[in-house]
Amino acid sequence: MDAAAGWGEAQGMYAISFLTKISGDIPAFETLKPGKKIQLKGQWFEVQNLESARCVGGEGELPFRVGAGYDAPVADLIGEKNAFATIDYSESLDGSDAKEPQPLVFIGEYMEFDDLHFSNLRQFDGWN
């Protein structure tokens, strides 16, 4: 793994993804439905979940500034093996070569703890 900035979270497993620039157009949120297959960076993904939330605020250690009062439509996709993708339609990627503003696309994979190859971790009593 390189030193690029990524996003990870542990909810029973580790999910590591990176903002990925996609050439070409990405389907509009309104055209997606669960089960639809789309290709991103030469890899096929299937839409698993669609949500549209209204952001009212944010708190905690987040890698971005959170402002209130915007809609956040998001599509979660699953690929082969441990691959997954998230398309965030609430923001756009500058410098895209697409006809319309590109939503943010994060592509990554689910990983086991040992596959992350952490080093210099502190040990705590009762923690293995």
Side-chain angles (χ1 to χ4, degrees):
M1 191 175 288
D2 63 21
W7 180 260
E9 57 186 56
Q11 295 177 339
M13 66 180 68
Y14 295 88
I16 308 299
S17 64
F18 297 91
L19 179 61
T20 305
K21 185 175 180 182
I22 303 297
S23 59
D25 294 322
I26 297 170
F29 182 76
E30 298 77 23
T31 68
L32 297 177
K33 63 181 180 178
K36 182 174 182 169
K37 294 184 187 300
I38 64 171
Q39 192 172 30
L40 301 169
K41 296 291 277 190
Q43 190 172 1
W44 285 99
F45 292 90
E46 182 178 312
V47 176
Q48 292 291 301
N49 187 48
L50 296 167
E51 298 212 14
S52 189
R54 179 102 177 128
C55 181
V56 295
E59 182 178 88
E61 295 182 33
L62 300 172
F64 49 85
R65 187 182 228 14
V66 176
Y70 67 91
D71 291 322
V74 175
D76 292 317
L77 303 96
I78 193 80
E80 292 183 8
K81 298 185 180 178
N82 294 330
F84 71 92
T86 298
I87 305 174
D88 180 353
Y89 290 87
S90 68
E91 297 184 56
S92 62
L93 183 63
D94 294 333
S96 167
D97 59 355
K99 298 173 196 161
E100 299 292 323
Q102 287 272 44
L104 300 183
V105 176
F106 298 87
I107 296 177
E109 65 180 290
Y110 294 109
M111 303 178 82
E112 297 290 329
F113 183 82
D114 289 341
D115 294 333
L116 296 170
H117 302 288
F118 288 127
S119 60
N120 301 317
L121 296 177
R122 290 186 292 167
Q123 294 292 319
F124 297 94
D125 290 336
W127 181 52
N128 295 332

